[in-house]
Amino acid sequence: MIAPTTLKNTLKEYFGYDTFRPLQEEIIHSIFSGKDNLVIMPTGGGKSICFQLPAILLDGLTIVISPLIALMKDQVDGLTTNGIAAAYLNSSQTESEQQEIYSKIDAGEIKLLYTAPESLSYLENTFNSKTISLIAIDEAHCISSWGHDFRPAYTNLGYLKKRFPTIPMIALTATADKATREDIANQLNIPHAKQHIASFDRKNLKLEVRPANDRVKQIISFIDDRPNESGIIYCLSRKATETVAEKLQGANINAIAYHAGIAHEKRSKIQEDFINDKCQVICATIAFGMGIDKSNVRWVIHYNLPKNIEGYYQEIGRAGRDGLPSNTLLFHSYGDVIQLKKFAQSSGNVEVQLAKLDRMKEYADALSCRRKILLSYFGELISEDCGNCDVCNNPPQFFDGTIIAQKALSAVARLNGQEPIGTVIDVLRGAQNNAILDKNYQTLKTYGIAKDISWLDWKQYITQLINLGYLEIAFHENNKLKLTEFAKDVLFNSKKVDLANLVEATEVLEAQIPKKPKAKKNSLFERLRQLRYKIAQDEDVPAYQIFNDATLREMEAERPMSDEEFIRISGVGRVKMMNYGHDFIKEIISFSKEKKRKRKVDTTKKTYELYQQGLSIEEIAQERKLAQTTIFSHISKLYAEGKDIDMHQFIDKHDLEAIRKAKVALENPDGLKPYFEHFQEAISYATIRVGLTILKKEES
């Protein structure tokens, strides 16, 4: 077992963080104990550190299986920036480039090697001759046909555990329901892997759903309220990406389309421009952005309804990876549902895909806290509403639906969780169809106990109970409806259940979202952001890999002006301190000096305004709660700058003449103290300042 102090020192030195995020340390200790691990952690939750940090400390080579070349490059660039030896190997490289990597592996100069599942054949010699210390399968949901992004090449990875039975394996993904998690473990031959399921609660993401009316107009307004913020717009078709991008360009928004129909070289250039902040908005199909660690994406918009909640959750997770507040906006229409149903009919697992589409539509139509719905979908139940979604901010009218809930939950219990929604409703309404009679469901106590509620209303109420976390759909068991642990409180402890009034709910108006205040053009954050961009351009790396927005925000708040203060900022490690510390500290000091000068200008400006209103020095001092000597210094400065001020009213002509003579006798000394002492304190500092100001103006 490795010492906790070693782990934390390594975390700070290479990644710049003082503490681990939830589950990270537990996962790392599990790896060092030789166990296999399955990690389900939302986008931005810190999955990569779970295998990158052990790789630094383990003796051999860590192999990372990753699905996309762009993802590999992004990860390797980030590791290199942090001073960690990493490389990637794939078919896009020349033979000489590959040979150079092999040489570095032979010399022990690489700790992490990224490769695609299709490129594992390139590693035969490495597997035979080198010590493999850890195998990481990133984006592991790609191995499962139950998942939302199935990739056949991943299904061959099961042989790795058979070939290296004693080497710990870690499989990681941002989204996987129960069926997908089970499938991942079985296909990778790690059925006993320790499962680590992090909270899916991304509190920094604001969740909003709107009807698809004048989408482009709404999107343009949305973006205009967020200047300089990066964002992604996901579209259902290639044509839609191009159409939306063209309309945004017409509104002077720096946007570009991205889809599989664009040539590979151009797609790579588009992605590079977005990663490097040269392009503000990407209009893309869902293939864009998987695993790309661009931490400063501030918003994600879905132009169309996604096909399932897993995909939707992973896509919105690309916003706010740095933990700062970020927005998500989903548009939906009936046309989207029709189109997605057609797609589902031509895919494998048709029933599962259609059921998941239904859940996605139910989320879009939800009348309860959206965050609760997302979390319950992944098996995480919370009792409190989030307060950061459109439903919470503009809730419908609710009524006490406890009796309705108890009837529905009782029916599911009597059916032993073995039937889908339709059958449950038929039992509640006392239907006499073959599906009911053949199974003798007419004998159940719950049969026909709610005939007074229409079939469609029951569908709405059960959807609400699913969204509230009292019921769940087992997609891998023919969409059977099952009770969750929350259901017990309703059935046996008389927990009150509030349901949305269906009549009232249809009349709820779209929430009016307040406009976001414009970013300050000369804030310290903007100055640091521009410095970061310049350095990133010089080094040809993404700006967020220098420092993410959260680190810049902390610099803005803390104003570190020494190496000791700078290294304490979260996200600043040893290598980044050495490489960038001087430039950022210099910028912070420069900004602070400018602000100080500006404050002086602002304060003298206020004094001048009061002087123009006819107030005396005493009255100005009283109004501004400042000493009269301070006001005199303001007046003197304003007079020297050429403002229309009669300075002679503030000084006796004899005192002015005495100061003129003293200036010659004292040989024009610096400061006021020599004059004050020369006059044996008979003339005040304020009068001396006024006199010298008049004399200096006369001389000029």
Side-chain angles (χ1 to χ4, degrees):
M1 187 64 70
I2 195 160
T5 53
T6 301
L7 294 184
K8 289 193 174 181
N9 289 340
T10 305
L11 181 69
K12 180 60 181 176
E13 179 175 356
Y14 289 98
F15 301 97
Y17 301 114
D18 295 309
T19 58
F20 286 100
R21 292 186 184 183
L23 293 183
Q24 284 180 331
E25 192 169 9
E26 178 186 333
I27 294 165
I28 291 168
H29 278 300
S30 182
I31 289 172
F32 277 105
S33 68
K35 295 177 181 176
D36 297 323
N37 294 269
L38 175 57
V39 176
I40 317 298
M41 191 176 285
T43 304
K47 292 187 296 295
S48 298
I49 283 178
C50 295
F51 61 85
Q52 289 173 351
L53 191 150
I56 296 169
L57 298 173
L58 289 166
D59 292 333
L61 180 68
T62 291
I63 303 295
V64 185
I65 312 297
S66 182
L68 295 174
I69 292 173
L71 170 56
M72 297 179 212
K73 184 179 184 303
D74 188 67
Q75 294 263 329
V76 169
D77 285 346
L79 289 166
T80 304
T81 303
N82 284 334
I84 301 168
Y88 62 88
L89 188 69
N90 58 56
S91 58
S92 71
Q93 295 165 317
T94 64
E95 188 175 341
S96 61
E97 288 173 331
Q98 292 176 355
Q99 193 56 52
E100 182 181 353
I101 293 169
Y102 293 139
S103 298
K104 288 183 177 180
I105 292 172
D106 290 339
E109 296 175 3
I110 293 178
K111 296 297 293 181
L112 290 107
L113 181 66
Y114 285 74
T115 191
E118 297 88 347
S119 302
L120 281 173
S121 58
Y122 293 118
L123 296 177
E124 279 304 307
N125 290 335
T126 300
F127 285 159
N128 290 329
S129 61
K130 296 298 172 186
T131 299
I132 307 300
S133 58
L134 176 64
I135 298 173
I137 312 293
D138 204 6
E139 308 293 344
H141 60 273
C142 292
I143 200 171
S144 175
S145 59
W146 294 102
H148 63 283
D149 195 20
F150 173 62
R151 299 195 175 206
Y154 260 67
T155 58
N156 299 322
L157 298 180
Y159 90 95
L160 287 171
K161 193 61 187 177
K162 293 179 180 178
R163 182 166 184 173
F164 302 103
T166 62
I167 302 303
M169 178 179 284
I170 178 171
L172 311 99
T173 178
T175 49
D177 58 18
K178 291 178 181 178
T180 307
R181 295 198 292 269
E182 183 178 326
D183 200 25
I184 290 170
N186 289 333
Q187 291 209 49
L188 289 176
N189 290 315
I190 53 172
H192 304 297
K194 183 172 177 56
Q195 292 196 19
H196 308 268
I197 304 175
S199 172
F200 282 78
D201 193 359
R202 293 281 305 281
K203 292 184 174 65
N204 64 314
L205 296 184
K206 185 179 183 65
L207 306 171
E208 183 185 357
V209 179
R210 298 184 192 175
N213 303 324
D214 295 322
R215 279 177 285 195
V216 173
K217 182 179 179 181
Q218 291 191 62
I219 290 170
I220 291 172
S221 176
F222 180 95
I223 296 173
D224 284 344
D225 289 339
R226 295 160 176 81
N228 301 322
E229 289 189 358
S230 293
I232 303 172
I233 301 173
Y234 285 110
C235 303
L236 198 56
S237 68
R238 298 177 183 182
K239 183 179 179 181
T241 66
E242 295 174 349
T243 301
V244 174
E246 185 178 332
K247 289 181 178 179
L248 295 185
Q249 291 163 9
N252 296 317
I253 293 170
N254 184 4
I256 194 164
Y258 178 103
H259 58 72
I262 297 172
H264 173 73
E265 295 77 10
K266 187 175 180 181
R267 284 206 317 273
S268 297
K269 177 66 166 56
I270 292 169
Q271 185 159 289
E272 286 291 318
D273 285 350
F274 182 64
I275 286 173
N276 291 306
D277 292 340
K278 294 178 182 178
C279 174
Q280 181 190 359
V281 179
I282 289 287
C283 303
T285 50
I286 61 172
F288 179 80
M290 184 169 71
I292 300 302
D293 188 22
K294 181 174 169 62
S295 61
N296 62 338
V297 174
R298 291 271 71 88
W299 52 264
V300 167
I301 293 175
H302 281 84
Y303 189 78
N304 305 100
L305 188 75
K307 62 182 180 180
N308 54 53
I309 287 178
E310 292 101 321
Y312 169 71
Y313 190 80
Q314 186 175 59
E315 287 149 20
I316 64 172
R318 287 160 192 160
R321 293 173 71 113
D322 52 14
L324 295 181
S326 302
N327 290 78
T328 73
L329 175 57
L330 165 64
F331 291 102
H332 72 100
S333 70
Y334 181 71
D336 293 341
V337 177
I338 300 300
Q339 186 65 48
L340 288 167
K341 282 186 175 180
K342 290 180 181 178
F343 291 163
Q345 292 291 348
S346 60
S347 66
N349 292 333
V350 176
E351 288 188 14
V352 172
Q353 299 307 321
L354 289 174
K356 290 193 172 188
L357 174 59
D358 283 343
R359 282 300 290 131
M360 187 68 243
K361 183 179 182 300
E362 287 161 2
Y363 169 84
D365 294 334
L367 304 173
S368 57
C369 172
R370 297 196 193 276
R371 197 178 310 277
K372 269 187 175 179
I373 301 168
L374 292 179
L375 296 182
S376 66
Y377 185 86
F378 293 108
E380 184 176 347
L381 305 178
I382 58 173
S383 57
E384 299 297 324
D385 290 345
C386 74
N388 195 28
C389 73
D390 54 344
V391 178
C392 286
N393 292 333
N394 193 37
Q397 295 295 315
F398 291 96
F399 69 96
D400 185 348
T402 307
I403 300 299
I404 290 175
Q406 287 173 337
K407 288 179 179 180
L409 299 180
S410 295
V412 174
R414 297 285 180 184
L415 291 166
N416 296 315
Q418 294 300 304
E419 296 293 347
I421 293 176
T423 303
V424 173
I425 296 175
D426 283 347
V427 168
L428 287 165
R429 287 183 41 76
Q432 297 184 11
N433 53 44
N434 290 338
I436 297 295
L437 301 177
D438 288 350
K439 297 181 180 180
N440 290 319
Y441 286 160
Q442 71 276 14
T443 63
L444 297 176
K445 288 186 177 181
T446 49
Y447 179 77
I449 62 171
K451 294 180 179 179
D452 55 318
I453 298 176
S454 73
W455 205 97
L456 289 176
D457 283 356
W458 259 124
K459 179 69 164 57
Q460 284 281 349
Y461 289 137
I462 289 179
T463 295
Q464 289 188 51
L465 292 173
I466 295 170
N467 289 342
L468 289 168
Y470 297 116
L471 293 168
E472 63 181 356
I473 300 172
F475 294 110
H476 59 308
E477 296 181 32
N478 297 317
N479 308 316
K480 293 173 181 176
L481 200 59
K482 295 181 179 292
L483 301 178
T484 70
E485 59 184 68
F486 273 16
K488 296 176 184 177
D489 288 335
V490 179
L491 287 173
F492 307 117
N493 300 322
S494 300
K495 177 179 173 60
K496 182 183 177 184
V497 178
D498 289 327
L499 295 176
N501 187 308
L502 300 182
V503 176
E504 293 281 352
T506 59
E507 300 172 355
V508 174
L509 297 175
E510 177 185 334
Q512 295 297 312
I513 306 300
K515 287 188 179 293
K516 186 172 180 178
K518 301 284 185 182
K520 295 180 180 178
K521 291 184 179 180
N522 195 35
S523 67
L524 178 55
F525 175 79
E526 281 301 307
R527 290 271 288 269
L528 296 177
R529 194 174 70 86
Q530 291 300 320
L531 172 61
R532 178 183 67 180
Y533 181 76
K534 180 180 181 301
I535 293 173
Q537 295 301 298
D538 292 342
E539 297 191 3
D540 194 26
V541 296
Y544 62 85
Q545 288 184 354
I546 305 298
F547 292 118
N548 64 31
D549 282 5
T551 298
L552 296 190
R553 289 293 185 192
E554 188 172 338
M555 290 182 196
E556 181 183 43
E558 298 298 329
R559 308 284 174 96
M561 297 186 187
S562 67
D563 289 353
E564 293 77 13
E565 293 173 348
F566 195 76
I567 194 69
R568 288 199 289 268
I569 298 294
S570 180
V572 178
R574 177 179 57 83
V575 173
K576 288 187 177 180
M577 170 68 212
M578 293 167 58
N579 291 341
Y580 313 123
H582 173 76
D583 290 336
F584 278 85
I585 291 171
K586 181 180 176 182
E587 189 67 33
I588 291 167
I589 291 173
S590 173
F591 179 85
S592 298
K593 287 181 177 179
E594 288 176 19
K595 294 296 286 185
K596 190 174 182 180
R597 287 195 293 270
K598 187 175 184 301
R599 281 196 297 271
K600 286 183 178 179
V601 171
D602 290 344
T603 192
T604 56
K605 181 181 177 182
K606 180 64 176 175
T607 294
Y608 186 56
E609 290 173 355
L610 295 173
Y611 171 80
Q612 288 181 308
Q613 294 173 21
L615 274 67
S616 67
I617 296 297
E618 182 180 358
E619 289 170 335
I620 295 172
Q622 187 175 6
E623 172 73 18
R624 301 210 55 202
K625 296 181 173 58
L626 296 172
Q628 290 188 40
T629 52
T630 302
I631 300 302
F632 265 118
S633 71
H634 292 177
I635 293 294
S636 298
K637 186 175 186 298
L638 291 163
Y639 176 77
E641 292 173 351
K643 299 295 184 185
D644 184 17
I645 295 174
D646 179 13
M647 292 297 290
H648 290 275
Q649 66 178 304
F650 302 123
I651 187 170
D652 182 85
K653 63 181 180 179
H654 298 294
D655 287 343
L656 178 60
E657 191 60 31
I659 294 169
R660 189 193 307 276
K661 292 178 180 178
K663 185 176 182 182
V664 175
L666 296 172
E667 298 180 347
N668 195 21
D670 293 330
L672 303 180
K673 189 173 182 181
Y675 291 95
F676 190 63
E677 292 176 345
H678 175 78
F679 295 125
Q680 297 180 351
E681 304 182 7
I683 299 179
S684 69
Y685 275 109
T687 302
I688 295 169
R689 186 189 299 278
V690 171
L692 290 174
T693 301
I694 293 172
L695 295 176
K696 184 176 181 181
K697 191 71 176 290
E698 288 177 355
E699 292 169 0
S700 63

